[in-house]
Amino acid sequence: MSFSFASPNSEEFRPFITWQEITDWAKIHYRDRTFSKDERIPTRPGLLYLVRQGAVRLVGSVQTNSKQLEVVEKVFVGLVGTGQPFEVSAQSPFNLQSYAHVDRTLVIWLYWNELDRWTHLRREILEIFRYQQQRKLLWLSILGQKRTIDRLLGFLQLLMAEYGERRNCGYCLPYPLTHAQIASAIGATRVTVTRLLGKLRHQGVISVEEENLICWIGSDR
Amino acid sequence: MSFSFASPNSEEFRPFITWQEITDWAKIHYRDRTFSKDERIPTRPGLLYLVRQGAVRLVGSVQTNSKQLEVVEKVFVGLVGTGQPFEVSAQSPFNLQSYAHVDRTLVIWLYWNELDRWTHLRREILEIFRYQQQRKLLWLSILGQKRTIDRLLGFLQLLMAEYGERRNCGYCLPYPLTHAQIASAIGATRVTVTRLLGKLRHQGVISVEEENLICWIGSDR
């Protein structure tokens, strides 16, 4: 399989210019906080959040009452890396939550109108959401695949293209992902994901490095 | 089930202000074209498209070569209504395509830098992408549900919240959707969708009106 990796780490998508300024501003105004791994990040609609350090995991849930039972299944719907913005404004029956994906995740928050003082940053943030929206369309294409192996392969490729870091063996995710998290993202069971990842390792498509980081070796051969 | 409907038809998300201006501009510069139902709309990365009339269907596909077989499954990943923008910039192995969802769909296209002359419109378009990105996170939450009925219910509610028009019976989609399209969106087979929709009709959760429009009646009772 051959596919070109996007360069999500390019400066283009990182508003570094006023980064120090906004970090200082957040500190002065008590708008920053550090979270431990898997700690819930409290969010409110109408606020914008910036990941200053670490990474944030977005998790969605839907309350349906099919068969009069309230079913709430938590679904991994995205990662927000360092330098990236996110917001959470869901309406019932939909719900979105955010968690620190790694230890010492530092998050800054501000009201949208406070961005008026940094018009350049505001524009860059909107451009990032534009980019993320395109990525989500691809993610949706993957989740529409009927076979679990196709969803898993597509999902891994999408993550690699977005977050993958070049290593000797190929591209590696900078964050660990549990099999349960992958399973929830692609609508599969954890057991199935464990089995399929084992198969992909055996086939040499992926490898699992230290700290459980998944690497994509490729499957051209 | 109770949930509040968003007001996607609110002026807030429709850049009406310079609409006539941009329509005239597009006509003069041969940047508008009308498409018949299900006709493919040719797109290029780097261009921005505006739906002037009708609606556009976005379809994604992924080429995976699991088991050395090229699998290409087309997935319905979104509708773009009148007054809304879209863009298509996918990279191999992902592919996005757009089709006129209804007859006489009129589309305008322009380069992003051409928007510099309409800064207000540019900002509004970016705000719409920001909104769409949030909606896609909810859509992803739905597709992560393991049971097909939950994915179907969530999907219908999401569409109703975004496009539903108030009618006597409840909220109706202004566009018809085939069972195959719904099936591709939620990773199910057409047969299953037909069966489940029949069940929901029988339970009085939905009704199907003239021209095959799906209406949401609700299921509180």
Side-chain angles (χ1 to χ4, degrees), chain A residues 165-172 207 209-210 215-218:
Chain A
E165 293 175 353
R166 192 92 185 99
R167 299 251 186 118
N168 282 339
C169 53
Y171 283 86
C172 292
S207 70
E209 304 298 313
E210 74 283 5
C215 296
W216 182 270
I217 300 169

Side-chain angles (χ1 to χ4, degrees), chain B residues 18-106:
Chain B
T18 42
W19 207 218
Q20 191 54 50
E21 202 181 327
I22 205 166
T23 305
D24 293 343
W25 175 88
K27 208 172 181 67
I28 292 165
H29 293 81
Y30 305 101
R31 297 289 192 80
D32 59 350
R33 190 173 145 193
T34 305
F35 296 87
S36 327
K37 183 168 157 47
D38 296 326
E39 193 179 346
R40 167 97 183 267
I41 300 168
T43 53
R44 274 194 299 155
L47 283 173
L48 172 72
Y49 299 82
L50 301 174
V51 182
R52 179 65 186 92
Q53 185 182 296
V56 166
R57 181 172 72 245
L58 297 179
V59 174
S61 58
V62 190
Q63 263 183 304
T64 55
N65 63 350
S66 53
K67 292 182 184 170
Q68 326 302 1
L69 272 172
E70 294 253 319
V71 180
V72 183
E73 205 166 320
K74 291 200 167 188
V75 179
F76 169 53
V77 296
L79 275 179
V80 188
T82 307
Q84 300 280 315
F86 70 96
E87 60 179 342
V88 168
S89 60
Q91 281 182 303
S92 173
F94 307 106
N95 189 21
L96 282 177
Q97 292 175 350
S98 56
Y99 297 86
H101 192 65
V102 293
D103 243 343
R104 292 188 299 280
T105 291
L106 176 60

Side-chain angles (χ1 to χ4, degrees), chain A residues 1-6 46 58-69 71-78 86-96 112 116 119 122-123 126-147 149-151 153-155 157-158 161 183-190 199 219-221, chain B residues 1-7 46 58-69 71-78 86-96 112 116 122-123 126-147 149-151 153-155 157-158 161 183-190 199 219-221:
Chain A
M1 187 176 326
S2 69
F3 62 100
S4 49
F5 283 97
L58 297 178
V59 174
S61 58
V62 190
Q63 263 182 304
T64 57
N65 64 350
S66 52
K67 292 181 187 171
Q68 324 305 2
L69 273 171
V71 180
V72 182
E73 205 167 321
K74 293 201 166 186
V75 179
F76 169 53
V77 296
F86 70 97
E87 60 180 341
V88 168
S89 60
Q91 280 182 303
S92 172
F94 306 106
N95 189 21
L96 281 176
W112 273 95
D116 289 346
T119 48
R122 185 192 166 97
R123 184 162 161 167
L126 287 174
E127 289 286 349
I128 295 173
F129 282 131
R130 175 189 155 208
Y131 170 80
Q132 285 181 355
Q133 190 262 351
Q134 278 284 304
R135 305 299 300 179
K136 295 307 176 196
L137 291 179
L138 304 185
W139 191 321
L140 287 175
S141 312
I142 289 163
L143 296 199
Q145 304 299 310
K146 282 186 196 64
R147 300 194 313 162
I149 182 71
D150 292 330
R151 294 202 298 278
L153 281 171
F155 179 71
Q157 287 175 68
L158 196 71
S184 83
I186 64 170
T189 63
R190 193 199 55 73
K199 208 171 138 189
S219 58
D220 299 76
R221 55 240 170 85
Chain B
M1 186 177 325
S2 69
F3 64 101
S4 49
F5 283 97
S7 52
L58 297 179
V59 174
S61 58
V62 190
Q63 263 183 304
T64 55
N65 63 350
S66 53
K67 292 182 184 170
Q68 326 302 1
L69 272 172
V71 180
V72 183
E73 205 166 320
K74 291 200 167 188
V75 179
F76 169 53
V77 296
F86 70 96
E87 60 179 342
V88 168
S89 60
Q91 281 182 303
S92 173
F94 307 106
N95 189 21
L96 282 177
W112 274 94
D116 288 346
R122 185 194 165 97
R123 185 162 159 168
L126 287 174
E127 288 288 348
I128 295 173
F129 282 130
R130 175 189 155 208
Y131 171 79
Q132 286 181 356
Q133 191 262 351
Q134 278 285 303
R135 304 299 300 179
K136 295 307 176 195
L137 291 179
L138 304 185
W139 192 322
L140 288 175
S141 311
I142 289 163
L143 295 200
Q145 303 300 310
K146 281 185 197 64
R147 300 194 313 161
I149 182 70
D150 293 330
R151 292 202 299 276
L153 280 171
F155 179 71
Q157 287 175 69
L158 195 72
S184 83
I186 64 171
T189 64
R190 193 197 55 74
K199 207 170 140 191
S219 57
D220 298 77
R221 55 234 169 90

